[in-house]
Amino acid sequence: MNIPSIFWLVPAASVVALGFAYAFYRKMKRQSEGTERMREIAGHVRAGAMAYLRQQYKVVTVVFVVLALFFAYLAYVAGVQNPWVPFAFLTGGFFLGLAGFFGMKTATYASARTAHAAQQSLDRGLRVAFRSGAVMGLVVVGLGLLDISLWYIVLNCFVDASGAQKLVIITTTMLTFGMGASTQALFARVGGGIYTKAADVGADLVGKVEAGIPEDDPRNPATIADNVGDNVGDVAGMGADLYESYCGSVLATAALGAAAFAATGDVEMQTRAVLAPMLIAAVGILLSIIGIFLVRTKEGATMRQLLRALGVGVNVSSVLIAAATFIILYLLDIQNWLGLSFSVITGLAAGIIIGQATEYYTSHSYRPTQKIARSGQTGPATVIISGIGVGMISTAVPVITIGVAIILAYLCATGFDMAHLMSAHNLSLGLYGIGIAAVGMLSTLGITLATDAPRPIAGHAGEASYGPIADNAGGNAEMSKLGPEVRRRTDALDALGNTTAATGKGFAIGSAALTALALLASYIEEIKIGLLHIGQTAITLPDGAERLVQEASIVDFMEFYQINLMNPLVLVGVFIGAMMSFLFCGLTMNAVGRAAESMVEEVRRQFREIKGILTGEATPDYARCVAISTRGAQREMLLPSLLAIVVPVAVGLLFGVAGVMGLLVGGLSSGFVLAVFMANSGGAWDNAKKLIEEGNFGGKGSECHKATVVGDTVGDPFKDTSGPSLNILIKLMSMVSIVMAGLTVAWHLF
């Protein structure tokens, strides 16, 4: 099969993204890192972050080797799996790990440079932070799309099939490298989340509350570990999260496109449907780069003006991508190109709405967070109660938005054919529309991740005085004793980053829901391939009708496996899926608690045993705190991460395809809602504390402030460990199910 010439735009766009990422990195490196003290502090953070990353990759490499050998056994010995799977799995993990490394390296070099730039002007500080953050965004989309492109080329050359079936095999095989990305992402998110929150809790509870010093004060033993944690938790973690969502949405949609037009035998239209999500993603990269260059501000800018500066870049990119989508699908002459274009618009709109809703429920500019801050006047218990209540209420808008987006994307793709809404062909087209909506939501990732990536470059969540965008830069300024003008500028970046960080989490959660739904549909296609691998060429439906596996529709497979709510296997799977979300959160919350206990004890020990720390006459043992966080994260991340792999396999072996479908539905529904709740509760607690630190309700040091610090401490693992990790959990379970589909259809107990 000849590759259409328009396809080459996809690898070309990925190379352009990587080229601009390198250019931004080189330009950042040419900026001054400031004074000797600033360079020293940045060096400590850089060394700690890279040491953690090396240790994590050692652990993850062992896991990947074991899993790759297992997949090789299934492929080459048992014969129930595609022989390309072990290699695809490894490349998915490798490319994501590479993206994390480049992002971390950039962030740790950019912190002191951002602080130094802020000495000159607010605009220079913003541009250094933002364009350094853009490196991570462009590396993520560049490497992700490059991996997809390479696999499409390789498989097109070597897959031994013809006609419509060839593209089905190619796209379903490409889906399997998404498991590698998801596995690597979960380790990055969970491990990074445990690391940063262990350090954060130690710095908050002992340094700030007990000793009465800022956590970025050089007298605080946990301050370097805290700054390291921002990088491993938010650069590597958030980047990994969105990388696997990005790749998953493109791959799942391509697979759905191949399946939707396979029955018609129109290979040309099938090829266009496969290429469409890749091309939308490619054009999204190029237009995101334009948006990046539009971000700038002026000295003395207000919070509203700073948000507008970022908004100009993101919104211009979104409008251009929306317009480009219509052009791409028109030029492809894909069936119902106009309806599919509006499916993409639906995804873009859903992302914006979820982001705005998240900002409302987490920003201290609005009533919900203000009420939490006010509740601190009656103690920490009421702060916790109020925060939980706000988080629960905040789930309504994202859930309704995703529900409406799913329905609209489906209807747009089917041309609003209400009379044949669930026919086999319309079902395939509708699911393709939902998948392409997820691609639309993530098409702005190059610039969207850049708006969140400055958070650890120039700040961190849970930081006491400066906020989420000014911790590494603002913390460096604090420890280097820079002037008040620099602090004013980093405080401005602080407020900006706090807002973008909250909306970034909402965006990640929303995209996860659409991507997971597309993967759910793709699972059925992988089941078809699995049946062919074991030699089953036909299925018999409950009414006695026979269908060739190769020609059977999704509806046929749903009937064959009796995937309905009256099937007890499906119901059991739903319950297990719902349980998984809570079990996973419980394990990660407890992991943070245990690691934090060790950090609290260590900070107390240093204050007690190293005389002169609090008077500034002695230097704390920063390395010891970094080592505690690293050891705790590496030890605690294994069980919850491996559980996400083991459970789908076990459910498949016990309850078959019906049980797995129930598992994925239960995990998606409960995981999505729980992730929104935890992220928004944690964000609201954090900002309630910041509102008081600005001088409200008694200000710093008051009883109200201490109460909100407790709330923020509870919220830290909510918003930075368990909540964000759920995004990856629901997608990893889908990916594992897809990869293990051959084993599931070959052998299951019920």
Side-chain angles (χ1 to χ4, degrees):
M1 184 186 298
N2 293 326
I3 297 177
S5 56
I6 195 172
F7 164 79
W8 298 106
L9 177 63
V10 179
S14 66
V15 172
V16 169
L18 295 173
F20 271 96
Y22 180 72
F24 288 148
Y25 174 78
R26 295 299 303 170
K27 188 172 182 179
M28 176 271 295
K29 285 294 295 290
R30 287 196 294 269
Q31 303 293 320
S32 173
E33 207 168 11
T35 65
E36 180 64 32
R37 176 61 173 164
M38 294 172 71
R39 291 194 296 272
E40 179 189 348
I41 293 165
H44 284 306
V45 174
R46 189 179 306 122
M50 289 304 175
Y52 171 81
L53 207 60
R54 284 193 297 271
Q55 184 61 32
Q56 176 173 285
Y57 286 173
K58 287 179 183 177
V59 175
V60 173
T61 297
V62 174
V63 175
F64 267 73
V65 169
V66 171
L67 289 174
L69 291 173
F70 177 60
F71 296 148
Y73 170 80
L74 294 178
Y76 300 111
V77 180
V80 297
Q81 199 168 74
N82 190 308
W84 290 98
V85 166
F87 306 103
F89 170 73
L90 289 173
T91 64
F94 174 77
F95 274 89
L96 193 148
L98 202 61
F101 171 79
F102 287 139
M104 185 87 78
K105 189 172 181 179
T106 303
T108 54
Y109 275 111
S111 59
R113 289 170 170 85
T114 301
H116 181 70
Q119 286 184 286
Q120 302 168 54
S121 73
L122 180 63
D123 181 52
R124 286 183 65 88
L126 175 63
R127 279 194 283 172
V128 171
F130 182 76
R131 292 189 182 180
S132 300
V135 173
M136 183 65 177
L138 293 174
V139 165
V140 163
V141 296
L143 288 178
L145 212 53
L146 183 63
D147 198 7
I148 291 171
S149 305
L150 292 175
W151 272 109
Y152 185 79
I153 296 168
V154 169
L155 293 172
N156 188 71
C157 294
F158 292 101
V159 166
D160 186 18
S162 60
Q165 188 62 20
K166 181 171 183 175
L167 274 175
V168 172
I169 294 173
I170 288 173
T171 53
T172 51
T173 302
M174 288 170 65
L175 265 175
T176 60
F177 98 68
M179 181 185 167
S182 295
T183 304
Q184 179 78 270
L186 192 61
F187 277 107
R189 211 25 150 168
V190 173
I194 294 170
Y195 185 112
T196 186
K197 293 304 104 181
D200 202 9
V201 170
D204 261 357
L205 291 184
V206 185
K208 185 164 57 178
V209 176
E210 295 180 8
I213 60 175
E215 65 188 278
D216 277 325
D217 193 298
R219 295 171 293 175
N220 194 327
T223 188
I224 297 297
D226 199 6
N227 281 269
V228 170
D230 297 327
N231 290 287
V232 302
D234 292 318
V235 174
M238 176 64 81
D241 186 349
L242 292 174
Y243 179 100
E244 62 95 28
S245 283
Y246 182 76
C247 291
S249 67
V250 173
L251 294 168
T253 306
L256 291 172
F261 296 97
T264 65
D266 189 346
V267 178
E268 188 175 348
M269 185 62 69
Q270 188 190 32
T271 303
R272 295 169 187 170
V274 169
L275 293 182
M278 300 182 195
L279 290 170
I280 292 170
V283 172
I285 288 176
L286 301 177
L287 297 177
S288 290
I289 292 171
I290 295 174
I292 289 169
F293 282 101
L294 296 176
V295 177
R296 58 183 66 233
T297 190
K298 61 183 180 181
E299 188 62 31
T302 64
M303 176 62 168
R304 189 180 297 274
Q305 290 169 327
L306 285 169
L307 284 170
R308 190 181 298 123
L310 287 185
V312 166
V314 176
N315 293 334
V316 168
S317 293
S318 298
V319 170
L320 291 175
I321 290 169
T325 296
F326 284 85
I327 298 171
I328 291 168
L329 295 179
Y330 172 75
L331 293 176
L332 284 173
D333 194 26
I334 197 168
Q335 181 180 325
N336 190 23
W337 67 270
L338 186 61
L340 287 172
S341 298
F342 279 107
S343 292
V344 175
I345 302 302
T346 298
L348 279 168
I352 294 170
I353 293 170
I354 291 173
Q356 292 300 310
T358 304
E359 179 183 341
Y360 173 75
Y361 282 106
T362 60
S363 172
H364 59 51
S365 300
Y366 301 102
R367 182 175 295 179
T369 298
Q370 292 170 356
K371 290 178 66 175
I372 295 174
R374 188 176 296 109
S375 69
Q377 296 174 316
T378 53
T382 49
V383 169
I384 293 170
I385 292 170
S386 299
I388 290 174
V390 165
M392 287 180 171
I393 293 170
S394 73
T395 62
V397 174
V399 168
I400 293 171
T401 300
I402 288 295
V404 171
I406 289 170
I407 293 171
L408 285 178
Y410 188 100
L411 292 175
C412 287
T414 59
F416 286 82
D417 184 6
M418 304 298 293
H420 308 91
L421 191 64
M422 293 301 294
S423 67
H425 185 60
N426 275 353
L427 182 60
S428 295
L429 282 178
L431 292 171
Y432 180 69
I434 294 170
I436 212 162
V439 174
M441 184 180 286
L442 290 163
S443 59
T444 59
L445 187 59
I447 188 170
T448 302
L449 186 54
T451 63
D452 194 54
R455 166 181 145 97
I457 292 171
H460 99 146
E463 196 276 322
S465 304
Y466 318 116
I469 203 169
D471 185 23
N472 282 43
N476 194 305
E478 169 75 18
M479 288 184 277
S480 303
K481 303 188 184 303
L482 301 185
E485 184 64 18
V486 180
R487 288 299 308 276
R488 183 186 66 78
R489 291 164 182 162
T490 56
D491 282 350
L493 294 177
D494 177 352
L496 173 65
N498 201 35
T499 301
T500 60
T503 55
K505 286 188 177 71
F507 178 86
I509 294 168
S511 65
L514 288 179
T515 301
L517 186 61
L519 290 171
L520 188 66
S522 298
Y523 175 64
I524 297 296
E525 292 304 317
E526 193 66 33
I527 290 297
K528 182 188 297 186
I529 303 296
L531 288 171
L532 293 174
H533 268 296
I534 63 173
Q536 186 172 339
T537 58
I539 56 174
T540 303
L541 303 183
D543 62 0
E546 278 205 359
R547 297 281 193 277
L548 291 176
V549 169
Q550 199 164 309
E551 299 175 358
S553 66
I554 292 179
V555 175
D556 292 332
F557 280 105
M558 297 289 280
E559 291 181 7
F560 176 67
Y561 286 108
Q562 298 185 18
I563 302 172
N564 58 71
L565 290 178
M566 302 310 294
N567 186 341
L569 298 180
V570 175
L571 286 175
V572 171
V574 169
F575 280 120
I576 294 174
M579 176 269 297
M580 274 293 297
S581 298
F582 287 88
L583 177 62
F584 181 84
C585 287
L587 290 172
T588 50
M589 292 278 288
N590 284 336
V592 170
R594 285 190 293 269
E597 286 174 7
S598 299
M599 184 63 71
V600 167
E601 291 173 0
E602 173 60 22
V603 176
R604 285 173 175 169
R605 184 196 66 80
Q606 291 199 31
F607 281 151
R608 185 175 62 251
E609 296 180 6
I610 304 177
K611 306 300 181 184
I613 287 184
L614 292 176
T615 60
E617 300 172 40
T619 302
D621 186 356
Y622 300 124
R624 175 67 177 164
C625 291
V626 170
I628 288 173
S629 274
T630 301
R631 188 167 57 251
Q634 299 298 324
R635 184 177 61 250
E636 299 285 0
M637 72 179 183
L638 283 172
L639 178 59
S641 300
L642 292 176
L643 200 63
I645 299 172
V646 172
V647 170
V649 177
V651 169
L653 293 175
L654 286 173
F655 305 120
V657 173
V660 172
M661 288 293 286
L663 172 79
L664 300 182
V665 169
L668 172 58
S669 55
S670 66
F672 173 56
V673 179
L674 188 58
V676 173
F677 156 65
M678 298 189 81
N680 288 352
S681 282
W685 276 317
D686 186 12
N687 284 328
K689 178 197 67 178
K690 287 180 171 61
L691 180 63
I692 292 174
E693 291 175 344
E694 291 177 359
N696 301 286
F697 307 114
K700 291 182 182 180
S702 66
E703 290 301 315
C704 189
H705 180 229
K706 292 178 181 178
T708 55
V709 169
V710 173
D712 180 42
T713 304
V714 174
D716 275 339
F718 269 50
K719 69 178 175 26
D720 290 325
T721 307
S722 300
S725 298
L726 283 170
N727 306 339
I728 307 170
L729 174 73
I730 59 179
K731 288 172 289 186
L732 179 57
M733 289 199 300
S734 299
M735 285 295 185
V736 172
S737 300
I738 288 170
V739 172
M740 302 304 296
L743 181 63
T744 301
V745 298
W747 194 92
H748 52 87
L749 185 60
F750 296 103

XYZ file of all heavy atoms in Angstrom, residues 32-92:
482
model
N 21.507 34.571 31.352
C 22.338 34.495 32.545
C 21.613 33.770 33.678
O 20.407 33.953 33.863
C 22.728 35.894 33.006
O 23.392 35.843 34.260
N 22.352 32.950 34.421
C 21.801 32.237 35.565
C 21.924 33.049 36.857
O 21.550 32.582 37.920
C 22.485 30.877 35.719
C 21.637 29.843 36.376
C 22.172 28.428 36.276
O 23.326 28.251 35.861
O 21.437 27.496 36.587
N 22.430 34.275 36.745
C 22.480 35.161 37.896
C 23.746 35.031 38.716
O 24.814 34.663 38.216
N 23.635 35.290 39.979
C 24.768 35.314 40.887
C 25.281 33.909 41.192
O 24.646 32.903 40.875
C 24.384 35.995 42.204
O 23.379 35.193 42.856
C 23.830 37.402 41.950
N 26.420 33.847 41.852
C 26.997 32.565 42.249
C 26.036 31.803 43.145
O 25.896 30.582 43.031
C 28.327 32.807 42.960
C 29.034 31.527 43.426
C 29.439 30.625 42.270
O 29.744 31.156 41.181
O 29.440 29.385 42.462
N 25.380 32.503 44.077
C 24.421 31.869 44.973
C 23.235 31.301 44.199
O 22.780 30.186 44.490
C 23.935 32.902 46.006
C 22.852 32.405 46.963
C 23.313 31.236 47.796
N 22.324 30.887 48.804
C 22.314 29.729 49.467
N 23.257 28.799 49.222
N 21.387 29.490 50.360
N 22.737 32.031 43.192
C 21.629 31.555 42.379
C 22.017 30.300 41.617
O 21.240 29.345 41.509
C 21.167 32.658 41.416
C 20.552 33.866 42.106
S 20.243 35.239 40.978
C 18.877 34.584 40.037
N 23.229 30.295 41.081
C 23.710 29.119 40.345
C 23.878 27.922 41.272
O 23.587 26.783 40.910
C 25.031 29.448 39.645
C 24.900 30.440 38.498
C 26.153 30.465 37.637
N 27.314 30.934 38.358
C 27.661 32.209 38.462
N 26.921 33.144 37.866
N 28.751 32.573 39.118
N 24.314 28.177 42.486
C 24.506 27.107 43.462
C 23.169 26.440 43.804
O 23.068 25.209 43.828
C 25.154 27.668 44.730
C 25.380 26.616 45.827
C 25.814 27.235 47.139
O 26.156 28.444 47.156
O 25.804 26.513 48.167
N 22.168 27.264 44.078
C 20.843 26.735 44.432
C 20.254 25.943 43.266
O 19.742 24.833 43.442
C 19.904 27.883 44.836
C 20.389 28.503 46.150
C 18.466 27.383 44.990
C 19.751 29.840 46.436
N 20.339 26.517 42.064
C 19.842 25.818 40.886
C 20.574 24.496 40.674
O 19.968 23.500 40.257
C 19.973 26.710 39.653
N 21.873 24.476 40.970
C 22.656 23.258 40.825
C 22.196 22.158 41.762
O 22.138 20.983 41.385
N 21.859 22.528 43.010
C 21.331 21.551 43.973
C 20.028 20.927 43.460
O 19.834 19.710 43.522
C 21.082 22.218 45.326
C 22.318 22.482 46.123
N 23.223 21.491 46.427
C 22.783 23.617 46.710
C 24.220 22.007 47.156
N 23.972 23.297 47.329
N 19.126 21.774 42.962
C 17.847 21.298 42.459
C 18.055 20.409 41.234
O 17.439 19.342 41.109
C 16.922 22.487 42.110
C 15.636 21.988 41.451
C 16.596 23.299 43.360
N 18.926 20.838 40.343
C 19.191 20.078 39.115
C 19.758 18.695 39.440
O 19.327 17.684 38.879
C 20.164 20.859 38.230
C 20.345 20.277 36.824
C 21.325 21.146 36.016
N 20.872 22.524 36.033
C 21.577 23.547 36.479
N 22.795 23.361 36.942
N 21.091 24.769 36.470
N 20.718 18.656 40.343
C 21.347 17.383 40.713
C 20.333 16.440 41.345
O 20.298 15.242 41.032
C 22.509 17.636 41.670
N 19.481 16.970 42.230
C 18.470 16.147 42.877
C 17.451 15.601 41.895
O 17.060 14.430 41.957
N 16.996 16.456 40.955
C 15.996 16.041 39.974
C 16.543 14.962 39.049
O 15.873 13.953 38.772
C 15.531 17.252 39.163
N 17.755 15.148 38.565
C 18.340 14.173 37.657
C 18.670 12.862 38.366
O 18.545 11.776 37.795
C 19.593 14.753 36.997
C 19.289 15.848 35.978
S 18.133 15.248 34.701
C 17.813 16.706 33.759
N 19.090 12.953 39.622
C 19.354 11.738 40.397
C 18.075 10.926 40.568
O 18.081 9.694 40.439
C 19.945 12.099 41.755
N 16.987 11.616 40.857
C 15.705 10.929 40.987
C 15.302 10.284 39.674
O 14.861 9.129 39.638
C 14.609 11.898 41.435
C 13.235 11.271 41.363
C 12.783 10.442 42.380
C 12.421 11.456 40.261
C 11.547 9.829 42.301
C 11.184 10.849 40.176
C 10.751 10.039 41.198
O 9.524 9.423 41.107
N 15.433 11.038 38.584
C 15.018 10.527 37.286
C 15.817 9.288 36.896
O 15.258 8.312 36.386
C 15.179 11.618 36.220
C 14.254 11.527 34.993
C 12.806 11.602 35.414
C 14.576 12.629 34.000
N 17.126 9.303 37.144
C 17.957 8.133 36.837
C 17.515 6.922 37.644
O 17.423 5.808 37.109
C 19.429 8.452 37.123
C 20.100 9.333 36.086
C 21.615 9.345 36.264
N 22.003 9.902 37.545
C 22.235 11.205 37.744
N 22.131 12.059 36.733
N 22.598 11.643 38.932
N 17.214 7.128 38.915
C 16.785 6.021 39.770
C 15.435 5.482 39.312
O 15.222 4.272 39.273
C 16.705 6.496 41.224
C 16.355 5.398 42.223
C 17.364 4.283 42.240
O 18.560 4.487 42.012
N 16.894 3.060 42.511
N 14.529 6.388 38.954
C 13.211 5.943 38.493
C 13.328 5.141 37.210
O 12.671 4.093 37.060
C 12.291 7.139 38.265
C 10.919 6.742 37.695
C 9.953 7.883 37.634
O 9.422 8.294 38.652
N 9.698 8.396 36.455
N 14.150 5.595 36.288
C 14.294 4.894 35.015
C 14.925 3.524 35.210
O 14.643 2.589 34.449
C 15.107 5.737 34.031
C 14.349 6.916 33.452
C 14.966 7.867 32.665
C 12.995 7.073 33.714
C 14.273 8.951 32.139
C 12.284 8.158 33.197
C 12.936 9.099 32.423
O 12.233 10.166 31.902
N 15.787 3.359 36.213
C 16.347 2.042 36.515
C 15.246 1.079 36.926
O 15.182 -0.067 36.453
C 17.393 2.156 37.624
C 18.706 2.799 37.202
C 19.659 2.879 38.387
C 20.965 3.582 38.000
N 21.875 3.716 39.174
N 14.365 1.525 37.834
C 13.264 0.691 38.306
C 12.309 0.362 37.162
O 11.907 -0.785 36.966
C 12.509 1.396 39.457
C 11.276 0.583 39.865
C 13.420 1.612 40.654
N 11.943 1.385 36.392
C 10.984 1.209 35.306
C 11.552 0.302 34.213
O 10.833 -0.490 33.610
C 10.575 2.578 34.716
C 9.701 2.386 33.483
C 9.824 3.394 35.768
N 12.865 0.388 33.967
C 13.497 -0.467 32.956
C 13.312 -1.945 33.290
O 13.024 -2.767 32.408
C 14.997 -0.140 32.832
O 15.152 1.213 32.384
C 15.669 -1.072 31.823
N 13.476 -2.286 34.552
C 13.273 -3.672 34.984
C 11.841 -4.120 34.691
O 11.604 -5.211 34.150
C 13.595 -3.827 36.481
C 13.247 -5.244 36.959
C 15.055 -3.525 36.757
N 10.868 -3.279 35.036
C 9.458 -3.594 34.781
C 9.215 -3.780 33.289
O 8.545 -4.720 32.859
C 8.552 -2.484 35.353
C 7.091 -2.748 34.969
C 8.688 -2.397 36.871
N 9.760 -2.889 32.474
C 9.560 -2.955 31.026
C 10.179 -4.218 30.426
O 9.593 -4.838 29.528
C 10.137 -1.705 30.352
C 9.122 -0.616 30.159
C 8.666 0.119 31.232
C 8.626 -0.334 28.912
C 7.733 1.126 31.064
C 7.678 0.666 28.731
C 7.231 1.402 29.814
N 11.349 -4.586 30.878
C 11.999 -5.790 30.360
C 11.160 -7.025 30.667
O 10.936 -7.887 29.797
C 13.424 -5.935 30.936
C 13.999 -7.319 30.612
C 14.338 -4.844 30.384
N 10.665 -7.125 31.899
C 9.834 -8.268 32.300
C 8.563 -8.330 31.455
O 8.181 -9.386 30.941
C 9.497 -8.189 33.802
C 8.466 -9.254 34.175
C 10.750 -8.351 34.650
N 7.882 -7.191 31.296
C 6.646 -7.164 30.516
C 6.908 -7.463 29.040
O 6.128 -8.174 28.398
C 5.964 -5.799 30.665
C 5.329 -5.510 32.025
C 4.820 -4.069 32.089
C 4.175 -6.467 32.305
N 7.998 -6.933 28.495
C 8.329 -7.192 27.093
C 8.591 -8.678 26.856
O 8.174 -9.233 25.828
C 9.540 -6.363 26.673
N 9.269 -9.330 27.788
C 9.507 -10.771 27.682
C 8.194 -11.547 27.741
O 7.998 -12.528 27.014
C 10.452 -11.235 28.788
C 11.910 -10.761 28.674
C 12.703 -11.153 29.918
C 12.570 -11.344 27.424
N 7.274 -11.102 28.601
C 5.963 -11.736 28.695
C 5.198 -11.587 27.374
O 4.596 -12.553 26.878
C 5.176 -11.122 29.845
C 3.777 -11.662 29.998
C 3.553 -13.010 30.240
C 2.690 -10.819 29.902
C 2.263 -13.513 30.374
C 1.403 -11.298 30.039
C 1.180 -12.643 30.271
N 5.220 -10.377 26.795
C 4.543 -10.159 25.511
C 5.196 -10.980 24.403
O 4.512 -11.474 23.497
C 4.561 -8.673 25.142
C 3.802 -7.798 26.099
C 4.217 -6.496 26.341
C 2.684 -8.278 26.757
C 3.527 -5.688 27.225
C 1.982 -7.469 27.647
C 2.415 -6.179 27.889
N 6.518 -11.110 24.467
C 7.220 -11.928 23.480
C 6.781 -13.390 23.568
O 6.601 -14.068 22.548
C 8.737 -11.808 23.678
N 6.595 -13.897 24.788
C 6.102 -15.257 24.982
C 4.708 -15.425 24.365
O 4.449 -16.403 23.645
C 6.065 -15.600 26.466
C 5.329 -16.898 26.758
C 5.958 -18.127 26.575
C 4.004 -16.889 27.188
C 5.284 -19.322 26.819
C 3.321 -18.057 27.439
C 3.959 -19.278 27.249
O 3.280 -20.446 27.484
N 3.813 -14.463 24.639
C 2.457 -14.533 24.088
C 2.460 -14.480 22.565
O 1.649 -15.139 21.912
C 1.606 -13.388 24.642
C 1.301 -13.394 26.138
C 0.484 -12.155 26.519
C 0.551 -14.655 26.547
N 3.405 -13.712 22.001
C 3.446 -13.533 20.549
C 4.110 -14.703 19.836
O 3.583 -15.224 18.849
C 4.158 -12.229 20.208
N 5.287 -15.119 20.346
C 6.105 -16.069 19.602
C 5.968 -17.520 20.061
O 6.325 -18.443 19.326
C 7.575 -15.648 19.679
C 7.828 -14.280 19.094
C 8.171 -13.217 19.908
C 7.686 -14.045 17.732
C 8.387 -11.945 19.383
C 7.899 -12.786 17.191
C 8.250 -11.742 18.027
O 8.463 -10.489 17.489
N 5.470 -17.724 21.274
C 5.304 -19.085 21.783
C 3.826 -19.477 21.821
O 3.425 -20.478 21.228
C 5.927 -19.234 23.188
C 5.738 -20.668 23.696
C 7.414 -18.886 23.159
N 3.025 -18.657 22.518
C 1.597 -18.966 22.629
C 0.841 -18.659 21.346
O -0.213 -19.246 21.080
C 0.988 -18.208 23.805
N 1.332 -17.704 20.562
C 0.693 -17.362 19.298
C -0.638 -16.655 19.416
O -1.478 -16.740 18.520
N -0.844 -15.936 20.517
C -2.120 -15.251 20.730
C -1.980 -13.738 20.615
O -2.921 -13.010 20.947
C -2.720 -15.618 22.109
C -3.038 -17.097 22.172
C -1.794 -15.215 23.252
N -0.828 -13.281 20.138
C -0.598 -11.849 20.095
C 0.217 -11.463 18.858
O 0.999 -12.252 18.341
C 0.138 -11.396 21.358
C 0.045 -9.905 21.638
C 0.549 -9.596 23.035
O 1.729 -9.617 23.278
N -0.318 -9.328 23.958
N 0.016 -10.234 18.433
C 0.750 -9.689 17.303
C 2.256 -9.683 17.597
O 2.677 -9.229 18.669
C 0.257 -8.267 17.031
C 0.780 -7.701 15.730
O 1.970 -7.691 15.457
N -0.145 -7.201 14.904
N 3.099 -10.167 16.686
C 4.548 -10.235 16.950
C 5.230 -8.876 17.081
O 6.365 -8.793 17.566
C 5.095 -10.997 15.737
C 4.043 -10.867 14.682
C 2.744 -10.798 15.398
N 4.563 -7.811 16.667
C 5.140 -6.482 16.787
C 4.947 -5.879 18.181
O 5.581 -4.874 18.520
C 4.511 -5.532 15.754
C 4.907 -5.838 14.348
C 4.191 -6.559 13.437
C 6.109 -5.445 13.686
N 4.864 -6.641 12.251
C 6.052 -5.954 12.373
C 7.239 -4.710 14.060
C 7.067 -5.762 11.439
C 8.247 -4.513 13.138
C 8.155 -5.034 11.852
N 4.058 -6.464 18.981
C 3.677 -5.869 20.260
C 4.866 -5.611 21.197
O 4.978 -4.522 21.764
C 2.597 -6.715 20.965
C 2.439 -6.310 22.434
C 1.269 -6.554 20.253
N 5.780 -6.576 21.436
C 6.884 -6.296 22.372
C 7.699 -5.074 21.977
O 8.118 -4.297 22.845
C 7.720 -7.580 22.312
C 6.779 -8.637 21.837
C 5.843 -7.950 20.900
N 7.930 -4.904 20.683
C 8.747 -3.782 20.219
C 7.984 -2.457 20.320
O 8.548 -1.434 20.720
C 9.200 -4.028 18.781
C 9.895 -5.345 18.591
C 9.240 -6.410 18.002
C 11.194 -5.523 19.028
C 9.872 -7.637 17.840
C 11.840 -6.745 18.871
C 11.167 -7.796 18.280
N 6.708 -2.483 19.948
C 5.885 -1.279 20.051
C 5.777 -0.822 21.497
O 5.843 0.375 21.801
C 4.497 -1.540 19.467
N 5.603 -1.774 22.405
C 5.516 -1.472 23.831
C 6.780 -0.766 24.328
O 6.706 0.238 25.033
C 5.283 -2.776 24.603
C 5.408 -2.652 26.096
C 4.430 -2.015 26.842
C 6.507 -3.184 26.767
C 4.538 -1.899 28.221
C 6.623 -3.080 28.140
C 5.642 -2.433 28.862
N 7.934 -1.269 23.936
C 9.200 -0.691 24.381
C 9.406 0.720 23.829
O 9.879 1.607 24.545
C 10.367 -1.591 23.974
C 10.484 -2.921 24.731
C 11.574 -3.785 24.128
C 10.744 -2.696 26.214
N 9.058 0.951 22.565
C 9.258 2.288 21.998
C 8.345 3.316 22.642
O 8.731 4.473 22.830
C 9.034 2.302 20.476
O 7.678 1.989 20.169
C 9.972 1.343 19.776
N 7.113 2.906 23.005
C 6.209 3.831 23.689
C 6.790 4.326 24.995
O 6.777 5.524 25.291
